[in-house]
Amino acid sequence: MNMSVKILRCVSRGWRCFSSMQGGAMNVFDRNMKRKQKEWASSLLDSDKYDYLRDEVASRVADRVYDISRTFPLALDVGCGKSHIAEHLSKEVVERLFLTDASDSSLRNRRECEIPTHCVVADEEFLPFQENTFDLVLSSLSLHWVNDLPGALRQIHHVLKPDGVFIGAMVGGETLYELRCSLQLAELEREGGFAPHISPYTAVTDLGNLLGQARFNMLTVDIDEVQVHYPGMLEVMSDLQGMGESNCAWNRKSLLQRDTILAAAAIYKEMYGSEDGSVPATFQILYMIGWKPHDSQAKPAKRGTANVSFADLSKIDKLQTDHQNTNDKS
């Protein structure tokens, strides 16, 4: 498989919209089914061969930790899987790390790292920690399966100490658009209608609002698109299952007809296939950074305290020229 970073336009979207929610948690995913999927995937003898995407994204999350010039005495990894982030961190940056995941098998098969770790079996939606406990909270490719994402972000904010930071990565709304579009077209052709086979994901336009509603400040949200090439559509679906990333939405269709699968594979190759015969699968990754407020943090100036007018911006070139002439004369 060949992995590369590209910016691609999505033609078929599967988004969860939070902006219109008026209280109460959504109930999109069967969390017990997701736990079983992760247990099964982590127990595979060759489970490591399906970790390429998690390892890549985890390394980019770790890079964002290193961008912050401080040491974190106590950190938490929410939905850690097999501890993909920790192996990219050093004990000089994170002194002690708590690992949480809903899958006991994932924690038992976790990667070795140099940081002292403590494992806790816990659902991402119910963090069993007290307020103001952690200096750093991390999460990589886990929160997109949470039903109550606003509530999960509020809990992360709750367990952070003041001036603590949350650094996370989750799958975005344009992920796997090739697979989604191919399955929909094949079902329309063969069965006269289609059911959702790819889980709905969060749109990047909602993420900043959700972090703000959870009372984080100094927010940063950015996007990567990781494209992986496979021999065909069936290999894409097989690897998703091996990652523990199969659909667990309550309204999922349990079985696909054989004719529909073959038609979808042909459509996939026809619409998106490369010259070498491979097909791409695009994963949109949303990265987020948010800080818990503290008095020491920089704050915006009060309205009316500016000493430069926007009207003066048009004079910048003239001011620079006058300054240069003054320097030349001296």
Side-chain angles (χ1 to χ4, degrees):
M1 285 168 295
N2 178 34
M3 183 180 294
S4 59
V5 179
K6 296 185 178 180
I7 303 299
L8 299 174
R9 185 166 63 91
C10 178
V11 297
S12 178
R13 296 173 171 84
W15 293 348
R16 278 195 288 172
C17 181
F18 293 93
S19 56
S20 62
M21 287 181 63
Q22 301 295 326
M26 301 178 72
N27 188 20
V28 179
F29 303 118
D30 182 345
R31 294 288 297 168
N32 186 51
M33 174 61 71
K34 177 50 57 185
R35 180 187 59 79
K36 291 179 179 178
Q37 290 174 353
K38 294 177 71 173
E39 290 276 352
W40 177 85
S42 63
S43 66
L44 294 174
L45 295 178
D46 58 349
S47 63
D48 286 349
K49 80 175 188 178
Y50 300 108
D51 288 339
Y52 50 87
L53 182 64
R54 295 187 186 280
D55 290 339
E56 176 66 21
V57 174
S59 70
R60 300 184 190 190
V61 172
D63 286 343
R64 286 160 170 80
V65 177
Y66 284 109
D67 287 340
I68 301 172
S69 56
R70 67 168 66 176
T71 297
F72 300 96
L74 186 60
L76 169 68
D77 187 350
V78 178
C80 66
K82 291 188 287 185
S83 185
H84 301 276
I85 301 176
E87 65 176 346
H88 298 285
L89 298 173
S90 68
K91 59 186 178 182
E92 285 74 27
V93 175
V94 174
E95 295 179 347
R96 200 152 54 100
L97 178 64
F98 273 76
L99 303 172
T100 67
D101 199 276
S103 166
D104 178 65
S105 177
S106 296
L107 291 173
R108 283 188 278 106
N109 294 314
R110 66 188 181 277
R111 307 279 182 85
E112 294 293 328
C113 69
E114 64 179 66
I115 303 171
T117 58
H118 309 269
C119 296
V120 179
V121 178
D123 193 297
E124 296 92 333
E125 297 185 355
F126 305 100
L127 298 180
F129 303 105
Q130 294 183 354
E131 185 178 7
N132 302 331
T133 300
F134 298 99
D135 305 279
L136 167 69
V137 176
L138 304 168
S139 181
S140 180
L141 298 189
S142 175
L143 292 179
H144 57 280
W145 292 118
V146 169
N147 279 313
D148 185 10
L149 183 56
L153 292 174
R154 286 194 296 270
Q155 288 190 57
I156 290 171
H157 182 278
H158 180 78
V159 302
L160 272 173
K161 294 178 181 178
D163 201 34
V165 60
F166 167 55
I167 303 177
M170 62 186 295
V171 173
E174 300 191 2
T175 293
L176 296 174
Y177 70 86
E178 304 98 338
L179 180 59
R180 181 182 294 110
C181 185
S182 299
L183 288 171
Q184 288 176 355
L185 291 175
E187 279 194 300
L188 282 171
E189 177 190 345
R190 298 303 172 99
E191 302 177 30
F194 64 85
H197 295 285
I198 309 298
S199 295
Y201 300 120
T202 303
V204 65
T205 51
D206 281 333
L207 195 52
N209 291 333
L210 292 172
L211 290 167
Q213 291 169 13
R215 295 184 295 168
F216 287 100
N217 64 4
M218 298 193 295
L219 306 179
T220 303
V221 177
D222 61 290
I223 308 173
D224 267 349
E225 287 195 354
V226 179
Q227 191 177 84
V228 185
H229 289 264
Y230 297 86
M233 188 193 80
L234 296 181
E235 286 76 13
V236 176
M237 298 174 71
S238 176
D239 273 26
L240 289 173
Q241 187 178 28
M243 295 176 190
E245 291 293 316
S246 298
N247 189 0
C248 70
W250 286 107
N251 63 347
R252 67 189 181 277
K253 187 176 179 179
S254 57
L255 294 174
L256 269 173
Q257 296 181 12
R258 183 174 181 273
D259 287 349
T260 302
I261 294 176
L262 295 176
I267 292 170
Y268 201 131
K269 183 152 290 191
E270 177 65 25
M271 292 182 63
Y272 306 107
S274 305
E275 292 182 359
D276 61 2
S278 66
V279 298
T282 302
F283 299 88
Q284 184 189 57
I285 311 298
L286 311 181
Y287 296 93
M288 68 202 92
I289 300 176
W291 294 77
K292 189 166 183 176
H294 187 263
D295 291 340
S296 65
Q297 295 170 352
K299 297 177 178 62
K302 294 182 179 179
R303 291 176 63 89
T305 60
N307 53 21
V308 177
S309 170
F310 277 108
D312 295 332
L313 293 177
S314 60
K315 303 176 184 178
I316 287 179
D317 290 338
K318 182 178 183 302
L319 292 172
Q320 288 177 333
T321 302
D322 293 344
H323 180 70
Q324 183 63 42
N325 291 337
T326 301
N327 289 339
D328 290 344
K329 289 178 181 180
S330 61

